[in-house]
Amino acid sequence: MLSLADAELVDLSIGLEPGAASEPWPPDVEYFDHDQGAQLLSENLQGLGFDVDAEDFPDEQGLAWEEVHAIPHTGTHLDAPWHYGPESGGGPARTIDEVPLEWCRGNAVVLDVREMDPGAEITPDDIDARLDALDHELSAGELVFLQTGADELWGEAEYLQQFPGMGAAATKHLVEQGVRVIGTDAYGFDKPFAEMGRRFADSDENEELWPAHFAGRDVEYCQIEKMANLDRLPRKTDVPVVCFPISIEGASAGWVRPVAMFEPETLPDGGDALAADGGVRA
């Protein structure tokens, strides 16, 4: 049995990066260093009636901290059913604080779609072909991760456009087999914005707009967007993963740091991928 104390870890996330070129709505982070911390903390204590100055702190330094302004869809995050619509699977859609934690841990299957063209729509046949290649039959509760290779473009504007996306039929196909969490290492779960816009312009069919997301109005599931490092996993099936989202009351998503865990000396480089660099490749 895998011991968590000894497990080798692979970080499958991208963090919050101020001004990132790959974020349409990048987070804004204001940093307060230790000198500022002493001043602000002393002012807080003075407001409570205590005679404390910044110079009174050890080494005249206080605590460092940050103030973050960001939507919960920046960085690696888990979308809740509420993101897709007010109802999901025939009932009220769950917000991120209502998503069962049991959905967010288990064994994952990685489906390699890197040879698909950017803007292509992933179909049920595409899903089944890759499962057949892995000689794997899905079980209820498994997580499915799509390896598009887009994380290699993180930090570049092309990251927003160079990936295939899920279709509604493929999404339902997975959920109907008991999959509750589907992840992708691309910017979005659906096709890129420009491709959806082009298809809508050509057809005038609203089914071309975020079809995989809106499939969540019919079947209840969560999706992880902006994953990374799926190529560092030593195998494609039976990948133990935890991906618990931060709980934000009534919200459509929560930041998440998916981590895969393996038996000691399982990773190809023999090292701990989480401790080595803490996230996506440079």
Side-chain angles (χ1 to χ4, degrees), residues 248-273:
I248 306 174
E249 184 177 357
S252 62
W255 298 294
V256 66
R257 190 172 187 177
V259 175
M261 300 169 288
F262 296 96
E263 300 79 3
E265 301 181 6
T266 298
L267 298 182
D269 59 4
D272 188 318

PDB file of all heavy atoms in Angstrom, residues 248-273:
ATOM      1  N   ILE A 248     -14.916  28.528  -1.325  1.00  0.00           N
ATOM      2  CA  ILE A 248     -15.364  29.922  -1.377  1.00  0.00           C
ATOM      3  C   ILE A 248     -16.885  29.891  -1.369  1.00  0.00           C
ATOM      4  O   ILE A 248     -17.507  29.328  -2.275  1.00  0.00           O
ATOM      5  CB  ILE A 248     -14.862  30.646  -2.642  1.00  0.00           C
ATOM      6  CG1 ILE A 248     -13.338  30.520  -2.773  1.00  0.00           C
ATOM      7  CG2 ILE A 248     -15.286  32.108  -2.636  1.00  0.00           C
ATOM      8  CD1 ILE A 248     -12.788  31.084  -4.070  1.00  0.00           C
ATOM      9  N   GLU A 249     -17.480  30.460  -0.382  1.00  0.00           N
ATOM     10  CA  GLU A 249     -18.926  30.347  -0.214  1.00  0.00           C
ATOM     11  C   GLU A 249     -19.677  30.850  -1.445  1.00  0.00           C
ATOM     12  O   GLU A 249     -19.481  31.976  -1.906  1.00  0.00           O
ATOM     13  CB  GLU A 249     -19.378  31.125   1.023  1.00  0.00           C
ATOM     14  CG  GLU A 249     -20.867  30.981   1.325  1.00  0.00           C
ATOM     15  CD  GLU A 249     -21.290  31.690   2.598  1.00  0.00           C
ATOM     16  OE1 GLU A 249     -20.412  32.248   3.283  1.00  0.00           O
ATOM     17  OE2 GLU A 249     -22.502  31.680   2.899  1.00  0.00           O
ATOM     18  N   GLY A 250     -20.531  29.988  -1.999  1.00  0.00           N
ATOM     19  CA  GLY A 250     -21.404  30.358  -3.104  1.00  0.00           C
ATOM     20  C   GLY A 250     -20.706  30.613  -4.423  1.00  0.00           C
ATOM     21  O   GLY A 250     -21.311  31.184  -5.337  1.00  0.00           O
ATOM     22  N   ALA A 251     -19.454  30.163  -4.580  1.00  0.00           N
ATOM     23  CA  ALA A 251     -18.663  30.524  -5.763  1.00  0.00           C
ATOM     24  C   ALA A 251     -18.739  29.476  -6.862  1.00  0.00           C
ATOM     25  O   ALA A 251     -19.066  28.312  -6.637  1.00  0.00           O
ATOM     26  CB  ALA A 251     -17.211  30.761  -5.372  1.00  0.00           C
ATOM     27  N   SER A 252     -18.363  29.907  -8.070  1.00  0.00           N
ATOM     28  CA  SER A 252     -18.408  29.047  -9.248  1.00  0.00           C
ATOM     29  C   SER A 252     -17.149  28.209  -9.415  1.00  0.00           C
ATOM     30  O   SER A 252     -17.124  27.294 -10.242  1.00  0.00           O
ATOM     31  CB  SER A 252     -18.607  29.900 -10.501  1.00  0.00           C
ATOM     32  OG  SER A 252     -17.508  30.794 -10.677  1.00  0.00           O
ATOM     33  N   ALA A 253     -16.101  28.520  -8.676  1.00  0.00           N
ATOM     34  CA  ALA A 253     -14.836  27.790  -8.818  1.00  0.00           C
ATOM     35  C   ALA A 253     -13.981  28.040  -7.586  1.00  0.00           C
ATOM     36  O   ALA A 253     -14.262  28.939  -6.782  1.00  0.00           O
ATOM     37  CB  ALA A 253     -14.090  28.225 -10.078  1.00  0.00           C
ATOM     38  N   GLY A 254     -12.929  27.257  -7.475  1.00  0.00           N
ATOM     39  CA  GLY A 254     -11.962  27.444  -6.403  1.00  0.00           C
ATOM     40  C   GLY A 254     -10.587  27.025  -6.870  1.00  0.00           C
ATOM     41  O   GLY A 254     -10.443  26.059  -7.633  1.00  0.00           O
ATOM     42  N   TRP A 255      -9.576  27.756  -6.447  1.00  0.00           N
ATOM     43  CA  TRP A 255      -8.210  27.380  -6.812  1.00  0.00           C
ATOM     44  C   TRP A 255      -7.895  25.999  -6.261  1.00  0.00           C
ATOM     45  O   TRP A 255      -8.346  25.616  -5.181  1.00  0.00           O
ATOM     46  CB  TRP A 255      -7.222  28.405  -6.248  1.00  0.00           C
ATOM     47  CG  TRP A 255      -7.436  29.768  -6.805  1.00  0.00           C
ATOM     48  CD1 TRP A 255      -7.256  30.175  -8.108  1.00  0.00           C
ATOM     49  CD2 TRP A 255      -7.922  30.917  -6.100  1.00  0.00           C
ATOM     50  NE1 TRP A 255      -7.590  31.503  -8.238  1.00  0.00           N
ATOM     51  CE2 TRP A 255      -8.000  31.987  -7.026  1.00  0.00           C
ATOM     52  CE3 TRP A 255      -8.297  31.145  -4.779  1.00  0.00           C
ATOM     53  CZ2 TRP A 255      -8.429  33.254  -6.675  1.00  0.00           C
ATOM     54  CZ3 TRP A 255      -8.728  32.412  -4.419  1.00  0.00           C
ATOM     55  CH2 TRP A 255      -8.792  33.454  -5.356  1.00  0.00           C
ATOM     56  N   VAL A 256      -7.104  25.252  -7.017  1.00  0.00           N
ATOM     57  CA  VAL A 256      -6.805  23.880  -6.629  1.00  0.00           C
ATOM     58  C   VAL A 256      -5.360  23.575  -7.008  1.00  0.00           C
ATOM     59  O   VAL A 256      -4.829  24.126  -7.980  1.00  0.00           O
ATOM     60  CB  VAL A 256      -7.782  22.894  -7.325  1.00  0.00           C
ATOM     61  CG1 VAL A 256      -7.587  22.882  -8.828  1.00  0.00           C
ATOM     62  CG2 VAL A 256      -7.644  21.494  -6.772  1.00  0.00           C
ATOM     63  N   ARG A 257      -4.737  22.721  -6.209  1.00  0.00           N
ATOM     64  CA  ARG A 257      -3.375  22.268  -6.508  1.00  0.00           C
ATOM     65  C   ARG A 257      -3.377  20.750  -6.602  1.00  0.00           C
ATOM     66  O   ARG A 257      -3.112  20.051  -5.617  1.00  0.00           O
ATOM     67  CB  ARG A 257      -2.391  22.747  -5.443  1.00  0.00           C
ATOM     68  CG  ARG A 257      -0.930  22.514  -5.826  1.00  0.00           C
ATOM     69  CD  ARG A 257       0.013  23.169  -4.841  1.00  0.00           C
ATOM     70  NE  ARG A 257       1.383  23.089  -5.305  1.00  0.00           N
ATOM     71  CZ  ARG A 257       2.434  23.627  -4.669  1.00  0.00           C
ATOM     72  NH1 ARG A 257       2.227  24.274  -3.529  1.00  0.00           N
ATOM     73  NH2 ARG A 257       3.640  23.513  -5.156  1.00  0.00           N
ATOM     74  N   PRO A 258      -3.670  20.204  -7.775  1.00  0.00           N
ATOM     75  CA  PRO A 258      -3.682  18.753  -7.918  1.00  0.00           C
ATOM     76  C   PRO A 258      -2.270  18.183  -7.723  1.00  0.00           C
ATOM     77  O   PRO A 258      -1.289  18.718  -8.250  1.00  0.00           O
ATOM     78  CB  PRO A 258      -4.160  18.538  -9.359  1.00  0.00           C
ATOM     79  CG  PRO A 258      -4.735  19.847  -9.790  1.00  0.00           C
ATOM     80  CD  PRO A 258      -4.003  20.882  -9.030  1.00  0.00           C
ATOM     81  N   VAL A 259      -2.195  17.111  -6.979  1.00  0.00           N
ATOM     82  CA  VAL A 259      -0.913  16.455  -6.738  1.00  0.00           C
ATOM     83  C   VAL A 259      -1.079  14.954  -6.960  1.00  0.00           C
ATOM     84  O   VAL A 259      -1.995  14.334  -6.410  1.00  0.00           O
ATOM     85  CB  VAL A 259      -0.413  16.717  -5.303  1.00  0.00           C
ATOM     86  CG1 VAL A 259       0.869  15.934  -5.029  1.00  0.00           C
ATOM     87  CG2 VAL A 259      -0.164  18.205  -5.086  1.00  0.00           C
ATOM     88  N   ALA A 260      -0.201  14.395  -7.791  1.00  0.00           N
ATOM     89  CA  ALA A 260      -0.167  12.948  -8.013  1.00  0.00           C
ATOM     90  C   ALA A 260       0.881  12.333  -7.091  1.00  0.00           C
ATOM     91  O   ALA A 260       1.926  12.938  -6.834  1.00  0.00           O
ATOM     92  CB  ALA A 260       0.161  12.642  -9.466  1.00  0.00           C
ATOM     93  N   MET A 261       0.592  11.137  -6.605  1.00  0.00           N
ATOM     94  CA  MET A 261       1.461  10.490  -5.630  1.00  0.00           C
ATOM     95  C   MET A 261       1.857   9.101  -6.124  1.00  0.00           C
ATOM     96  O   MET A 261       1.025   8.359  -6.632  1.00  0.00           O
ATOM     97  CB  MET A 261       0.728  10.363  -4.285  1.00  0.00           C
ATOM     98  CG  MET A 261       0.300  11.701  -3.701  1.00  0.00           C
ATOM     99  SD  MET A 261      -0.828  11.506  -2.295  1.00  0.00           S
ATOM    100  CE  MET A 261      -2.318  10.964  -3.146  1.00  0.00           C
ATOM    101  N   PHE A 262       3.144   8.789  -5.950  1.00  0.00           N
ATOM    102  CA  PHE A 262       3.655   7.508  -6.433  1.00  0.00           C
ATOM    103  C   PHE A 262       4.554   6.848  -5.397  1.00  0.00           C
ATOM    104  O   PHE A 262       5.100   7.502  -4.506  1.00  0.00           O
ATOM    105  CB  PHE A 262       4.445   7.711  -7.737  1.00  0.00           C
ATOM    106  CG  PHE A 262       3.606   8.205  -8.869  1.00  0.00           C
ATOM    107  CD1 PHE A 262       3.548   9.553  -9.167  1.00  0.00           C
ATOM    108  CD2 PHE A 262       2.845   7.330  -9.626  1.00  0.00           C
ATOM    109  CE1 PHE A 262       2.759  10.016 -10.194  1.00  0.00           C
ATOM    110  CE2 PHE A 262       2.046   7.782 -10.658  1.00  0.00           C
ATOM    111  CZ  PHE A 262       2.006   9.124 -10.943  1.00  0.00           C
ATOM    112  N   GLU A 263       4.719   5.552  -5.562  1.00  0.00           N
ATOM    113  CA  GLU A 263       5.597   4.803  -4.700  1.00  0.00           C
ATOM    114  C   GLU A 263       7.023   5.333  -4.827  1.00  0.00           C
ATOM    115  O   GLU A 263       7.410   5.845  -5.874  1.00  0.00           O
ATOM    116  CB  GLU A 263       5.564   3.319  -5.074  1.00  0.00           C
ATOM    117  CG  GLU A 263       4.191   2.656  -4.975  1.00  0.00           C
ATOM    118  CD  GLU A 263       3.287   2.953  -6.165  1.00  0.00           C
ATOM    119  OE1 GLU A 263       3.737   3.631  -7.106  1.00  0.00           O
ATOM    120  OE2 GLU A 263       2.136   2.492  -6.158  1.00  0.00           O
ATOM    121  N   PRO A 264       7.821   5.246  -3.765  1.00  0.00           N
ATOM    122  CA  PRO A 264       9.214   5.720  -3.832  1.00  0.00           C
ATOM    123  C   PRO A 264       9.963   5.109  -5.003  1.00  0.00           C
ATOM    124  O   PRO A 264       9.751   3.955  -5.376  1.00  0.00           O
ATOM    125  CB  PRO A 264       9.803   5.268  -2.490  1.00  0.00           C
ATOM    126  CG  PRO A 264       8.628   5.191  -1.571  1.00  0.00           C
ATOM    127  CD  PRO A 264       7.474   4.729  -2.422  1.00  0.00           C
ATOM    128  N   GLU A 265      10.820   5.918  -5.613  1.00  0.00           N
ATOM    129  CA  GLU A 265      11.665   5.515  -6.737  1.00  0.00           C
ATOM    130  C   GLU A 265      10.843   5.138  -7.958  1.00  0.00           C
ATOM    131  O   GLU A 265      11.276   4.344  -8.795  1.00  0.00           O
ATOM    132  CB  GLU A 265      12.596   4.358  -6.333  1.00  0.00           C
ATOM    133  CG  GLU A 265      13.511   4.709  -5.162  1.00  0.00           C
ATOM    134  CD  GLU A 265      14.439   3.568  -4.790  1.00  0.00           C
ATOM    135  OE1 GLU A 265      14.448   2.547  -5.507  1.00  0.00           O
ATOM    136  OE2 GLU A 265      15.138   3.702  -3.784  1.00  0.00           O
ATOM    137  N   THR A 266       9.648   5.752  -8.097  1.00  0.00           N
ATOM    138  CA  THR A 266       8.804   5.497  -9.266  1.00  0.00           C
ATOM    139  C   THR A 266       9.052   6.521 -10.368  1.00  0.00           C
ATOM    140  O   THR A 266       9.029   6.185 -11.554  1.00  0.00           O
ATOM    141  CB  THR A 266       7.316   5.539  -8.867  1.00  0.00           C
ATOM    142  OG1 THR A 266       7.061   4.519  -7.907  1.00  0.00           O
ATOM    143  CG2 THR A 266       6.408   5.325 -10.072  1.00  0.00           C
ATOM    144  N   LEU A 267       9.312   7.777 -10.003  1.00  0.00           N
ATOM    145  CA  LEU A 267       9.483   8.823 -11.004  1.00  0.00           C
ATOM    146  C   LEU A 267      10.747   8.581 -11.817  1.00  0.00           C
ATOM    147  O   LEU A 267      11.757   8.116 -11.292  1.00  0.00           O
ATOM    148  CB  LEU A 267       9.545  10.192 -10.335  1.00  0.00           C
ATOM    149  CG  LEU A 267       8.294  10.608  -9.561  1.00  0.00           C
ATOM    150  CD1 LEU A 267       8.463  12.005  -8.994  1.00  0.00           C
ATOM    151  CD2 LEU A 267       7.059  10.537 -10.440  1.00  0.00           C
ATOM    152  N   PRO A 268      10.698   8.890 -13.121  1.00  0.00           N
ATOM    153  CA  PRO A 268      11.836   8.604 -14.004  1.00  0.00           C
ATOM    154  C   PRO A 268      13.146   9.205 -13.547  1.00  0.00           C
ATOM    155  O   PRO A 268      14.202   8.594 -13.682  1.00  0.00           O
ATOM    156  CB  PRO A 268      11.385   9.198 -15.348  1.00  0.00           C
ATOM    157  CG  PRO A 268       9.901   9.186 -15.284  1.00  0.00           C
ATOM    158  CD  PRO A 268       9.556   9.440 -13.849  1.00  0.00           C
ATOM    159  N   ASP A 269      13.109  10.443 -12.988  1.00  0.00           N
ATOM    160  CA  ASP A 269      14.351  11.087 -12.573  1.00  0.00           C
ATOM    161  C   ASP A 269      14.750  10.716 -11.155  1.00  0.00           C
ATOM    162  O   ASP A 269      15.749  11.195 -10.626  1.00  0.00           O
ATOM    163  CB  ASP A 269      14.254  12.603 -12.699  1.00  0.00           C
ATOM    164  CG  ASP A 269      13.132  13.196 -11.856  1.00  0.00           C
ATOM    165  OD1 ASP A 269      12.490  12.435 -11.112  1.00  0.00           O
ATOM    166  OD2 ASP A 269      12.899  14.413 -11.945  1.00  0.00           O
ATOM    167  N   GLY A 270      13.894   9.880 -10.513  1.00  0.00           N
ATOM    168  CA  GLY A 270      14.206   9.450  -9.165  1.00  0.00           C
ATOM    169  C   GLY A 270      14.028  10.521  -8.127  1.00  0.00           C
ATOM    170  O   GLY A 270      14.421  10.365  -6.978  1.00  0.00           O
ATOM    171  N   GLY A 271      13.413  11.652  -8.506  1.00  0.00           N
ATOM    172  CA  GLY A 271      13.264  12.765  -7.590  1.00  0.00           C
ATOM    173  C   GLY A 271      11.820  13.089  -7.306  1.00  0.00           C
ATOM    174  O   GLY A 271      10.904  12.478  -7.827  1.00  0.00           O
ATOM    175  N   ASP A 272      11.651  14.045  -6.442  1.00  0.00           N
ATOM    176  CA  ASP A 272      10.326  14.507  -6.052  1.00  0.00           C
ATOM    177  C   ASP A 272       9.970  15.710  -6.907  1.00  0.00           C
ATOM    178  O   ASP A 272      10.539  16.785  -6.760  1.00  0.00           O
ATOM    179  CB  ASP A 272      10.347  14.890  -4.572  1.00  0.00           C
ATOM    180  CG  ASP A 272       8.979  15.201  -4.026  1.00  0.00           C
ATOM    181  OD1 ASP A 272       8.220  15.874  -4.733  1.00  0.00           O
ATOM    182  OD2 ASP A 272       8.671  14.785  -2.902  1.00  0.00           O
ATOM    183  N   ALA A 273       9.056  15.540  -7.858  1.00  0.00           N
ATOM    184  CA  ALA A 273       8.757  16.601  -8.816  1.00  0.00           C
ATOM    185  C   ALA A 273       8.095  17.803  -8.170  1.00  0.00           C
ATOM    186  O   ALA A 273       8.160  18.900  -8.696  1.00  0.00           O
ATOM    187  CB  ALA A 273       7.879  16.066  -9.948  1.00  0.00           C
TER     188      ALA A 273
END
